[in-house]
Amino acid sequence: MTSTPHRALAVAAVAVAVALAAPAAPRASARPAACAANGFCEDFESQTGSTPAGRWTTAVANCSGTGTATVDTTMAHGGTKSVRITGKAGYCNHAFAGTSLSGLPSGGDLYARFWIRHTTALPAQHVTFGALRDANDNGKDLRMGGQNKALQWNRESDDATLPAQSPAGVALSTPLPVNTWTCLEFRLDRTAGRLDTWVNGGLVTGLVVDGTPTQDVDQQWLNRGGWRPAPADLRLGWESYGEGDDTLWYDDVAVGTTRIGC
């Protein structure tokens, strides 16, 4: 196993990472940045009904239950509307608002940014609040969510996690703050199979796949060589595989091929 110097130092300094785990306060942002010509942005202000419409769908795969996705006028990051997810424990209660990514260029970097607010701390068991169906992985999901009370990525096809769910790996991630708007960003390098994740503008050490296996971070993820994601959609919502009710709001979503920022 090898590691880049900065990643090796980060893993060696787990105690420091624990102390600094809480993300910086979000920068003030009244409205999202202008939409890129090769992407899209969504502030939900044009939604006229109670169910997300237009480019958004609330259809779920496999089974459905009591989870819901609705347009909400009581909470917004900017403007007056957002999407509210009433998330319930149990897989069949999953609920998402999703949109196709078919209009974006294929290959190279894909960036996404969204603001999220939720009411309940991430549980110890695995949950998902963002998913991308990977056309290069038999349609299985690349999932963004939480486990062991911290943010993580999960690859549905082989259940690999980023970071590894060891104490050292979890310490290199961060919780998702409650009752406040948090800016989440990620970059998928679809050509090289790399991944970066930012919380309120700060790169999270444990949520990076840089191509060089690093123990407790992306070593497990890279055990399966040749991962080259081709996301076909973006879905924001809630999926629980055990415990975990939560209420979440999403707003000011932006997707493109260059970094959008908070």
Side-chain angles (χ1 to χ4, degrees):
M1 186 273 293
T2 60
S3 62
T4 57
H6 75 280
R7 291 278 291 278
L9 287 171
V11 174
V14 167
V16 176
V18 173
L20 300 176
R27 288 173 282 170
S29 176
R31 307 302 313 135
C35 296
N38 58 2
F40 70 88
C41 63
E42 175 67 77
D43 60 12
F44 303 108
E45 295 302 299
S46 64
Q47 297 287 324
T48 58
S50 60
T51 300
R55 68 177 302 127
W56 300 90
T57 176
T58 58
V60 294
N62 304 313
C63 55
S64 60
T66 58
T68 60
T70 57
V71 176
D72 189 13
T73 59
T74 67
M75 185 74 68
H77 171 253
T80 61
K81 296 178 183 178
S82 65
V83 163
R84 172 180 169 145
I85 303 293
T86 302
K88 297 296 184 181
Y91 175 72
C92 279
N93 290 318
H94 50 203
F96 289 90
T99 182
S100 171
L101 300 179
S102 61
L104 276 75
S106 60
D109 287 342
L110 176 72
Y111 286 84
R113 189 283 316 279
F114 58 90
W115 289 83
I116 180 173
R117 182 185 180 109
H118 73 138
T119 61
T120 307
L122 295 173
Q125 295 187 25
H126 182 201
V127 296
T128 291
F129 56 73
L132 303 99
R133 182 172 60 83
D134 188 352
N136 279 352
D137 200 6
N138 295 314
K140 298 294 186 179
D141 281 344
L142 173 62
R143 304 186 289 205
M144 185 181 199
Q147 192 168 350
N148 287 313
K149 303 180 181 181
L151 294 171
Q152 71 149 20
W153 286 94
N154 173 273
R155 193 165 52 204
E156 181 185 8
S157 59
D158 61 355
D159 207 32
T161 66
L162 179 77
Q165 294 303 293
S166 62
V170 172
L172 292 170
S173 184
T174 183
L176 181 64
V178 299
N179 299 319
T180 187
W181 286 101
T182 299
C183 178
L184 291 186
E185 300 175 84
F186 63 84
R187 175 188 77 111
L188 273 177
D189 182 340
R190 296 169 289 182
T191 301
R194 299 187 179 186
L195 173 63
D196 295 312
T197 313
W198 296 267
V199 176
N200 291 330
L203 186 68
V204 181
T205 300
L207 301 178
V208 172
V209 177
D210 66 0
T212 301
T214 299
Q215 186 175 351
D216 296 311
V217 183
D218 62 354
Q219 184 178 36
Q220 177 199 51
W221 194 271
L222 292 170
N223 280 342
R224 190 180 82 186
W227 178 65
R228 300 294 183 268
D233 66 5
L234 171 66
R235 305 190 314 278
L236 303 173
W238 187 251
E239 191 166 271
S240 169
Y241 312 100
E243 63 179 333
D245 289 2
D246 203 352
T247 302
L248 308 95
W249 291 266
Y250 296 88
D251 202 358
D252 292 338
V253 181
V255 178
T257 58
T258 57
R259 188 175 175 190
I260 301 138
C262 295

